[in-house]
Amino acid sequence: MVAALPTLHGGAESSTPITAERFEGAVLAPGIVHLTYETRIEDRHARRSSIWRRDAAGEFRLYYHQATPVPDGTGQP
């Protein structure tokens, strides 16, 4: 996910890249991880939360994702 973030917005090389920071992870159960982080795309800021689970091949797959926009002027938590 971290490696893919800079290329996701718009899908074109000319797109504004996504910057991501404040990553935190927590193991919820064996093979299940909760990841939180914040992203910025130009002047847009969002807090993101995702749940990843390990599949039968041992790879982590995104199971759930939510992004919550942060209104302008609210700053960092």
Side-chain angles (χ1 to χ4, degrees):
M1 186 66 191
V2 173
L5 277 172
T7 63
L8 291 177
H9 179 56
E13 287 185 28
S14 61
S15 297
T16 303
I18 297 172
T19 59
E21 59 189 10
R22 299 178 178 254
F23 284 89
E24 292 187 28
V27 176
L28 300 178
I32 300 175
V33 177
H34 179 225
L35 178 66
T36 58
Y37 57 101
E38 296 184 22
T39 59
R40 290 188 185 275
I41 306 169
E42 295 178 345
D43 63 344
R44 294 176 300 188
H45 177 202
R47 292 189 180 101
R48 297 177 181 266
S49 175
S50 57
I51 296 177
W52 295 77
R53 65 180 177 182
R54 193 180 306 268
D55 65 15
E59 300 289 326
F60 274 97
R61 302 286 179 177
L62 181 63
Y63 178 72
Y64 171 82
H65 178 81
Q66 177 180 348
T68 304
V70 177
D72 289 341
T74 60
Q76 295 290 336

